[in-house]
Amino acid sequence: MTDDPQPFDVLPGAGHSPVILHVPHAAREVPPSVRADIVLDDEQLARELDHITDAHTAEIAELAAGLAGITPWRFVNRLSRLVVDPERFPDEREEMRVVGMGAVYTRTTHGDALRPEHVEAGPLVERYFLPYARAMTRAVAERLAATGRAVIVDVHSYPSARLPYELHGEGPRPPVCLGTDSFHTTDRLLDAARTAFGETELDSPFSGAYVPLEFYGTDPRVEALMVEIRRDTYMTEPGGPAGPGLERLAGALARLVDAVSG
């Protein structure tokens, strides 16, 4: 038996759509067995979830999918990134390990202890990280088989004020940050995002784009872009309700999906 909720959902789109809206950080769910190893009390944990969760991004992706002319696929994490962060490298390649935020976090957004420093990451990686990575790899492979292309659009959000864990937060904090990869982010994809969202900056305050390791840096048929939405443009920070900006951003995301679906 397991106490785990459904760890992720793969929500089908049109058979001829190459687009996957990837939503890795929208959830707050922490299974009891994982909660037991987190040293924060319930109030502290709720506050940390307010800061670390990309609140309402699953709703933005859902609305965008409904608005798009060609329905994209959606891959949505249903567990908090405090369980595992599926977008980190699971090994020494991950630069965020220096602040205790590799695939398994040991520190909070403000540098406090989240788990004991000696925690073994391996069991959480085996139980949660690797099945997620395998499922995302399958989802991309299926889009390649069906359409000859796969376009991964990562849907994230970020706080209007820099948090202590940010390694590169000294630059601009635009309404929408576009995170790019030198191999997987094409000019067409980038131009479509700029047109759809309007005021954007590249790779500030966050950079990079998620691609499953099987395709990373080797398969040019896989395109990727990270869309980081500044939270004050659509919600009350740090973990409050969504506002009218949510629908506007969903419409922009739908326009991006349509621009790169054909």
Side-chain angles (χ1 to χ4, degrees):
M1 296 292 292
T2 177
D3 59 19
D4 289 358
Q6 174 70 20
F8 53 80
D9 284 321
V10 183
L11 300 162
H16 60 295
S17 172
V19 178
I20 300 171
L21 296 181
H22 182 218
V23 187
H25 294 159
R28 296 174 66 97
E29 185 73 37
V30 179
S33 62
V34 179
R35 172 69 180 95
D37 289 327
I38 290 176
V39 302
L40 305 179
D41 64 30
D42 288 347
E43 183 179 344
Q44 292 168 332
L45 177 58
R47 187 161 58 247
E48 178 62 13
L49 287 167
D50 285 346
H51 287 296
I52 199 67
T53 303
D54 292 354
H56 312 297
T57 51
E59 294 102 292
I60 291 172
E62 181 179 9
L63 281 173
L67 292 169
I70 299 175
T71 305
W73 294 64
R74 284 179 288 143
F75 194 112
V76 183
N77 190 6
R78 298 303 185 188
L79 299 180
S80 169
R81 63 197 290 191
L82 298 185
V83 180
V84 295
D85 191 331
E87 294 212 313
R88 303 289 198 238
F89 287 110
D91 52 34
E92 64 281 351
R93 287 174 292 179
E94 180 51 61
E95 70 168 354
M96 294 299 292
R97 286 161 59 103
V98 73
V99 290
M101 298 180 109
V104 176
Y105 296 179
T106 59
R107 293 278 163 180
T108 71
T109 50
H110 290 73
D112 300 318
L114 179 74
R115 292 181 171 92
E117 289 292 341
H118 58 77
V119 69
E120 283 289 333
L124 290 174
V125 169
E126 289 285 338
R127 186 172 184 180
Y128 298 106
F129 184 96
L130 294 179
Y132 189 106
R134 287 192 291 266
M136 187 64 181
T137 300
R138 283 195 300 274
V140 171
E142 288 169 1
R143 293 301 88 218
L144 289 173
T147 73
R149 313 165 51 219
V151 183
I152 304 167
V153 178
D154 251 3
V155 185
H156 290 259
S157 71
Y158 77 98
S160 57
R162 181 180 185 177
L163 291 174
Y165 83 95
E166 296 179 26
L167 293 180
H168 309 289
E170 64 278 356
R173 302 181 83 84
V176 175
C177 159
L178 302 176
T180 67
D181 178 87
S182 60
F183 186 90
H184 292 283
T185 305
T186 63
D187 290 342
R188 177 193 179 199
L189 178 54
L190 196 54
D191 289 345
R194 284 169 163 153
T195 299
F197 287 103
E199 186 181 351
T200 61
E201 295 275 355
L202 297 186
D203 297 313
S204 178
F206 297 98
S207 63
Y210 174 77
V211 174
L213 290 177
E214 181 171 323
F215 309 103
Y216 183 67
T218 60
D219 195 333
R221 299 175 301 164
V222 180
E223 300 173 50
L225 180 73
M226 178 169 66
V227 175
E228 286 270 7
I229 303 164
R230 203 179 67 214
R231 290 176 189 156
D232 64 341
T233 64
Y234 74 92
M235 63 173 284
T236 301
E237 295 183 273
L246 186 143
E247 288 80 8
R248 176 181 56 79
L249 287 159
L253 183 59
R255 290 193 295 274
L256 170 59
V257 168
D258 285 340
V260 299
S261 291

